Amino acid sequence: SERVEKALRNLDFLVVQDVVDNETSRLADVLLPGAAFSEKAGSFTNTEDRIQLFSPAVPPPGEAKPDWEILSILAEKMGSPVKYDSLKKVRAEISRLVPMYADLDTGENMGWVRVSSGKKLFDPKGQGEAMAFSPVESMDEIPADDSYPYTAILGSVRFHLGGGTRTALSGRIRAFDSTGDVEMSHQDGRELNLKAGDSLKIISPHGHVERNVRLVDSLAPGQLFIPEAVNLNDAGNLIDLVPLDGTESAGWKTCRVRLEKISVKP
């Protein structure tokens, strides 16, 4: 968003490491070209605690390097006495220092995260200390504001990852659905005299976006769904950029908005 760009431009020095050219990398004083997952070796840990190792399918292009090599070069330039000359050495250190990865194989075999908790939940026999749970503390509802009567929900569509920095570069993915239509209930559409394809300006206290309308059955009246990863992810213009570490934070996925009709489909 414009607010983020302004903040980045105010930095004394900005280093960006990425695998594709994007709005942020163009602001960088120094750009470190990273390697994509298909261009390097490493591992993923999935939600069932399986450690899955992978090898590069193609070499990194140009001067691009895997993350661990970039960090190793930086550490050496900054005077670190420890040298990392192979991924095997990195894995060995992780296995030695991180208890849950004690079984990480330094070769090419898959492994599992080692259970390092004595709680009942993690014990196959259900023995050990019980887990402690905290009561839910509900936030006060945001008071109704007639100036912004709708709740906008920002979210991903199935065809894109996050803000679309990488997936939006794919012509095949864009061909599925790249219009980013705002979705609303049929009831709201009737009350606002809107038809599918009409154009709206969606305005929050922090910014606005313009999208076409799609009427759906999956939303309750008063709710809008605004896809991210389209139009350079301009949906971020609508949210209040506040820290997310407090219970009072409104978050970055919902906000109050009002609507203005731009044009009506004939």
Side-chain angles (χ1 to χ4, degrees), residues 28 58 62 74 118 121 141 150 235:
V58 293
L74 282 175
L121 182 63
E141 291 290 337
Y150 297 90

Side-chain angles (χ1 to χ4, degrees), residues 152 182 200-204 207-212 224 226 238 257-260 262:
V182 58
L200 283 178
K201 178 182 284 189
I202 306 159
I203 305 166
S204 80
H208 72 275
V209 299
E210 295 181 5
R211 300 286 179 92
N212 291 337
L224 309 174
I226 304 176
L238 297 173
V257 297
R258 60 184 174 88
L259 307 176
E260 290 183 3
I262 298 176

Side-chain angles (χ1 to χ4, degrees), residues 130-186:
M131 296 286 289
F133 289 88
S134 301
V136 175
E137 296 182 11
S138 299
M139 292 176 57
D140 293 335
E141 291 290 337
I142 299 176
D145 184 350
D146 293 337
S147 301
Y148 299 94
Y150 297 90
T151 297
I153 304 169
L154 282 60
S156 300
V157 292
R158 73 175 71 178
F159 308 112
H160 285 287
L161 175 67
T165 302
R166 293 172 296 280
T167 52
L169 297 177
S170 167
R172 291 180 64 190
I173 294 177
R174 290 198 307 271
F176 282 106
D177 182 2
S178 61
T179 58
D181 293 349
V182 58
E183 298 180 0
M184 67 167 50
S185 69
H186 287 277

Side-chain angles (χ1 to χ4, degrees), residues 115 117-132:
V115 175
S117 171
K119 304 291 186 181
K120 284 184 177 180
L121 182 63
F122 299 98
D123 189 284
K125 297 181 181 179
Q127 299 176 353
E129 184 182 351
M131 296 286 289

Side-chain angles (χ1 to χ4, degrees), residues 50-107:
R50 182 188 293 270
I51 304 168
Q52 302 172 98
L53 307 184
F54 60 90
S55 300
V58 293
E63 298 181 80
K65 298 181 184 298
D67 307 318
W68 72 268
E69 287 191 31
I70 292 176
L71 291 173
S72 180
I73 294 171
L74 282 175
E76 185 178 359
K77 296 289 186 183
M78 296 172 70
S80 172
V82 181
K83 289 183 66 68
Y84 297 92
D85 50 16
S86 70
L87 186 59
K88 184 176 181 179
K89 187 172 182 179
V90 175
R91 284 178 175 153
E93 182 176 292
I94 293 173
S95 178
R96 186 176 73 253
L97 297 179
V98 185
M100 64 186 297
Y101 283 102
D103 297 330
L104 177 62
D105 193 290
T106 57

